[in-house]
Amino acid sequence: MATRVHTDLTIRGTTYPDAASAARALGVTPEAIRSAARKGRLDRVGTGRKGLAPMPVRIRGEVFTDAHAAAARFGVTPQAVWRALADGDPDRIGRPQRRPGRAPKPFEIGGLRFASQRKASRALGFSDDYLSHALTRGGRAARERILAAAMALSARQARKSSPNGPARPEPMEELHHG
């Protein structure tokens, strides 16, 4: 008979003489005990938890039990935590994203001011990039459509703010963008 390799196993503070007695006490098979001993994971055997052990995560000096706890604390998804860990920059979690590109330029049309062309396009009832395309590649019809939408929005806003009735917007000769 072969010698028993897995003897005197200590699992969560209790020492068992062999894998069979540990298995009986914990309600698992002796093979589960031997497998956990080979993997160095006796702390998890018989607890009902399967799969990989949760990895502690440290973000800006704060230690979390796992990525899910960190994600809940910072209001992001666990995938965002894992991605930041894989990139080697976990401290970026929960901070505003750094986005490359230009800052939006204010846009004015028909006396209305918007933070960007995209926001103006949405407010006027067009798709996100309609103004950008229409102003660079569009023709006279597209510019007239934009101006008509701006005048209608201006009139709606004037009606909401004026108790005496609608104010007449001044017609614009040409369309300006900046």
Side-chain angles (χ1 to χ4, degrees), residues 4-168:
R4 293 184 184 216
V5 177
H6 302 292
T7 59
D8 297 323
L9 300 167
T10 302
I11 302 172
R12 294 186 294 280
T14 305
T15 303
Y16 301 96
D18 59 12
S21 59
R24 277 191 301 277
L26 298 173
V28 295
T29 65
E31 182 51 39
I33 299 292
R34 288 189 289 273
S35 175
R38 281 192 303 272
K39 294 176 185 175
R41 300 304 316 183
L42 283 173
D43 57 320
R44 290 175 53 109
V45 72
T47 60
R49 292 180 288 170
K50 295 182 180 183
L52 298 175
M55 178 180 74
V57 176
R58 179 185 305 264
I59 300 172
R60 292 193 288 281
E62 194 174 344
V63 179
F64 300 94
T65 57
D66 59 9
H68 291 274
R73 162 70 172 77
F74 291 109
V76 297
T77 63
Q79 289 79 10
V81 174
W82 292 320
R83 189 175 305 114
L85 289 171
D87 291 345
D89 188 15
D91 291 343
R92 76 177 184 216
I93 296 170
R95 290 190 175 156
Q97 290 183 353
R98 295 172 291 187
R99 296 188 182 189
R102 298 175 290 177
K105 290 190 285 184
F107 181 78
E108 184 176 341
I109 180 171
L112 300 172
R113 293 181 187 270
F114 301 96
S116 67
Q117 273 189 356
R118 181 176 298 239
K119 289 187 178 183
S121 193
R122 288 179 189 157
L124 296 174
F126 300 117
S127 65
D128 284 356
D129 55 356
Y130 181 80
L131 281 180
S132 175
H133 290 290
L135 295 175
T136 56
R137 295 188 256 338
R140 180 180 175 129
R143 286 195 284 286
E144 287 176 357
R145 183 175 176 211
I146 293 168
L147 189 55
M151 290 172 63
L153 178 61
S154 180
R156 282 193 305 270
Q157 289 177 348
R159 270 183 271 163
K160 286 182 182 178
S161 65
S162 174
N164 298 336
R168 304 272 283 161

